[in-house]
Amino acid sequence: MRSLHFPSSPRAPFFLALLAIFAVAVASTGCDSRFEDVNDNPNEPEEVATKLLLPDIIRGSVNTSVNTAHTTGNLVLQYTAKVSFATEIDRYNWAGVGYWQPLYGDLRNVEDVIQLAQERDQPQYEGVGLVLKSWIFSMLTNAYGDVPYSESVAVQEGIETPKYDRQEAIYRGMLADLRRANELLTPDSGSIQGDILYNGDLMKWKKLANSLRLRLLMRLSEKDISLNLDGDEVSVRDAFQSITSAPETAPVFTSNDDNAALEYLGSRPNEWPRHTSRIGTFRTFKLSKTLTDTLKHFDDPRLSVFGDPTAASVEDGSRKYVGVPNGLTNDASGSFNGGPDFQSGLNFNRYYDEPDAAKGLIMTYAEVLFLKAEAIEMDWISADAQTHYQEAIEASFEQYGKSTPPGYFGQEGVSYPTSDSEQALEQIRTQKWIALFYTGLEGWFNWRRTGIPDIDPSVDNVNGDEIPVRFRYPESEQSLNAENYQAALKDQGPNSINTEMWLLE
């Protein structure tokens, strides 16, 4: 070992003396039991408070949902279209999508909330944690199919290579957790702090738990399976009915005040996440021709909420909306209809210029009403489908500060066909598609089940004229969790955007 060398100088004796004093001090305290006490930082808590974890979980998961809707979900379901450059996603050239890692990161914190709540007898935090866990896992399994669930790093510490659970088992787990959350979230279960979604309102969390149950159960509508309900095996239909028939014990959303919508602020870290992108990049997202033409056909006032009139029409005072076909090449999209000044972009003020104007949508009252209307037409529950359908549309208008235009419900394609259940379902699902604008990937997930709206693949797609039905697993899984990754492919099929998951079989 090389010895320390102090240079020869008039100050050398001072340094040697100082070193000797330091050595004595270390020797006299090195075995002193008070060392740890002396080094405790009174300003640093030894355990993380549950309330400190919630804001980042809510913000992180909602922002991931918003970002993925912006870059992928809105394109594949033709709410928006991409122009000018980097149009590959709109043409289904899907590589890695930044969805997996951030959501599993949030799930690690969710599991901490649940475990801490159980240890400290905080049922209110456990209930909220179970709602968030179920919602985040629903995004993952609906996007990828089979994913790590029972052995995921969010559930069991120390498991670095978790197995992939079958999607059916994940759905059963999510529904069970949401039922448990409904039981835990009671008025006397305690207050909630750190809640940037509902400001500590436990009843709204309870309603969200049960509303999410309706969403998941409807997604199982094509599956002939039974579910455990209070020890009994019941059908998906009966499970749905058990919620809608018990508003006192299993309440769902009853107004737009219940919407699970994260309100953004005008500054970081709680501003609309896409506000940090370049203006030029933001402007390359235009309204899709599919959505634009549908809203124009119905003279629907939500058109001015979702998008802007073309710059050229604003200048000449005519205010026209022109959507862009999905999947055009860079050159074709940039020159479509005469160029960017003659194409309608996203509502600039709402989604960029005023970062606190947009909201991060998890679920809305309008969606709950559409779910009920659909269930009525499917003979799952007894009520008036037309009333629920019209109230759902009105709730969507109200959500955006709009009133239902006179004569709106009398139009062909909107007027409710009381004697034609198949047509009624098509209209319910079409209006639901409109109402799900910018609600994560829900429009895409719902389309895979229903085929509504009846959209054509994007124009110059590179996927053999097939609309993608899932995300690819990230490349990191192939190297870091190879054995379980290969087992998942054996169970589900190739790691392709065209491989149908269990829900779609």
Side-chain angles (χ1 to χ4, degrees):
M1 179 181 293
R2 185 177 179 180
S3 60
L4 293 176
H5 172 72
F6 291 91
S8 177
S9 73
R11 300 184 64 184
F14 170 78
F15 285 106
L16 291 172
L18 183 62
L19 180 62
I21 293 171
F22 177 75
V24 172
V26 170
S28 63
T29 61
C31 298
D32 196 329
S33 62
R34 294 176 299 167
F35 181 82
E36 292 182 357
D37 296 333
V38 171
N39 283 276
D40 279 345
N41 183 350
N43 298 316
E44 183 176 335
E46 294 182 1
E47 294 183 330
V48 178
T50 2
K51 65 182 180 182
L52 299 179
L53 294 172
L54 277 183
D56 277 346
I57 295 169
I58 296 169
R59 182 192 306 112
S61 56
V62 172
N63 284 358
T64 297
S65 176
V66 168
N67 284 328
T68 312
H70 185 82
T71 59
T72 309
N74 290 349
L75 297 175
V76 70
L77 246 290
Q78 301 184 9
Y79 293 112
T80 61
K82 193 76 165 63
V83 301
S84 297
F85 66 90
T87 62
E88 294 306 300
I89 290 180
D90 205 5
R91 300 173 63 203
Y92 310 151
N93 185 10
W94 290 8
V97 178
Y99 205 57
W100 180 283
Q101 283 87 355
L103 290 181
Y104 271 110
D106 290 324
L107 282 167
R108 282 190 286 272
N109 288 332
V110 168
E111 190 60 28
D112 285 340
V113 167
I114 294 172
Q115 290 181 353
L116 288 171
Q118 291 172 341
E119 292 169 4
R120 300 171 186 179
D121 191 23
Q122 297 175 323
Q124 71 278 29
Y125 285 104
E126 183 181 357
V128 169
L130 289 172
V131 174
L132 289 168
K133 174 184 175 181
S134 300
W135 175 59
I136 296 172
F137 265 121
S138 75
M139 290 192 285
L140 283 164
T141 188
N142 288 327
Y144 297 96
D146 298 352
V147 296
Y149 180 71
S150 61
E151 287 186 357
S152 73
V153 292
V155 178
Q156 297 184 21
E157 293 183 5
I159 298 179
E160 297 181 359
T161 55
K163 70 175 184 180
Y164 286 58
D165 292 82
R166 296 310 309 267
Q167 190 171 53
E168 179 179 353
I170 297 170
Y171 259 76
R172 292 181 185 278
M174 293 186 297
L175 288 167
D177 281 346
L178 289 171
R179 285 188 61 225
R180 176 62 177 157
N182 176 62
E183 295 168 356
L184 290 169
L185 294 168
T186 62
D188 57 354
S189 61
S191 61
I192 287 282
Q193 296 181 344
D195 175 12
I196 60 174
L197 181 64
Y198 280 136
N199 196 30
D201 191 325
L202 293 185
M203 179 54 70
K204 290 185 178 181
W205 279 103
K206 188 180 185 77
K207 289 181 177 181
L208 176 57
N210 293 305
S211 298
L212 286 172
R213 289 169 71 191
L214 295 184
R215 175 192 277 178
L216 296 182
L217 288 166
M218 183 58 71
R219 200 151 284 145
L220 294 175
S221 61
E222 300 299 318
K223 311 304 291 186
D224 184 17
I225 62 172
S226 60
L227 301 169
N228 186 282
L229 188 65
D230 298 327
D232 297 325
E233 292 296 314
V234 302
S235 65
V236 174
R237 170 188 178 275
D238 289 343
F240 192 99
Q241 188 179 67
S242 72
I243 300 169
T244 57
S245 63
E248 295 299 321
T249 56
V252 297
F253 292 169
T254 55
S255 75
N256 278 324
D257 289 340
D258 296 327
N259 287 351
L262 180 61
E263 294 190 13
Y264 289 111
L265 304 179
S267 59
R268 295 183 181 183
N270 288 339
E271 64 184 355
W272 188 63
R274 302 307 302 181
H275 179 69
T276 58
S277 63
R278 295 181 303 169
I279 291 178
T281 300
F282 179 84
R283 291 191 185 279
T284 64
F285 288 88
K286 305 295 185 179
L287 283 185
S288 167
K289 176 176 172 58
T290 304
L291 178 66
T292 303
D293 289 356
T294 301
L295 296 178
K296 287 168 68 175
H297 178 73
F298 294 147
D299 195 21
D300 195 308
R302 287 171 293 187
L303 181 57
S304 64
V305 176
F306 301 157
D308 284 334
T310 67
S313 69
V314 170
E315 187 173 346
D316 66 25
S318 61
R319 298 185 65 83
K320 296 177 181 177
Y321 290 84
V322 179
V324 177
N326 285 83
L328 297 177
T329 62
N330 289 343
D331 291 341
S333 65
S335 61
F336 175 77
N337 199 47
D341 285 348
F342 301 89
Q343 303 166 355
S344 288
L346 292 177
N347 185 319
F348 188 80
N349 287 336
R350 180 175 184 82
Y351 293 106
Y352 191 89
D353 198 40
E354 300 174 12
D356 58 340
K359 291 181 173 62
L361 301 177
I362 296 175
M363 192 171 189
T364 66
Y365 174 50
E367 183 183 348
V368 170
L369 289 170
F370 281 124
L371 287 166
K372 288 183 176 181
E374 191 171 359
I376 297 165
E377 285 294 344
M378 294 164 56
D379 293 324
W380 278 17
I381 59 177
S382 297
D384 185 64
Q386 180 177 358
T387 299
H388 282 77
Y389 164 78
Q390 292 183 350
E391 288 179 349
I393 296 172
E394 290 171 343
S396 182
F397 285 145
E398 181 188 78
Q399 175 186 335
Y400 294 108
K402 298 293 183 179
S403 300
T404 307
Y408 186 85
F409 291 117
Q411 302 178 83
E412 182 179 356
V414 178
S415 177
Y416 200 79
T418 55
S419 59
D420 187 340
S421 184
E422 184 176 343
Q423 180 62 31
L425 282 171
E426 181 177 342
Q427 290 185 194
I428 291 168
R429 292 163 176 172
T430 298
Q431 286 289 338
K432 184 180 178 183
W433 164 65
I434 298 171
L436 286 173
F437 180 83
Y438 238 130
T439 307
L441 302 177
E442 289 306 315
W444 180 40
F445 297 156
N446 201 58
W447 168 83
R448 294 182 317 193
R449 177 179 64 89
T450 66
I452 303 298
D454 183 12
I455 56 176
D456 294 323
S458 63
V459 179
D460 290 305
N461 71 83
V462 293
N463 193 44
D465 281 339
E466 291 189 58
I467 299 173
V469 294
R470 66 180 290 271
F471 288 162
R472 290 190 180 97
Y473 294 125
E475 291 185 4
S476 59
E477 285 294 288
Q478 301 177 36
S479 56
L480 301 178
N481 194 13
E483 183 177 346
N484 291 307
Y485 165 80
Q486 291 297 334
L489 301 192
K490 183 178 179 180
D491 287 337
Q492 181 169 267
N495 189 23
S496 162
I497 59 177
N498 301 318
T499 295
E500 293 192 344
M501 57 189 67
W502 172 77
L503 277 176
L504 308 178
E505 293 173 352

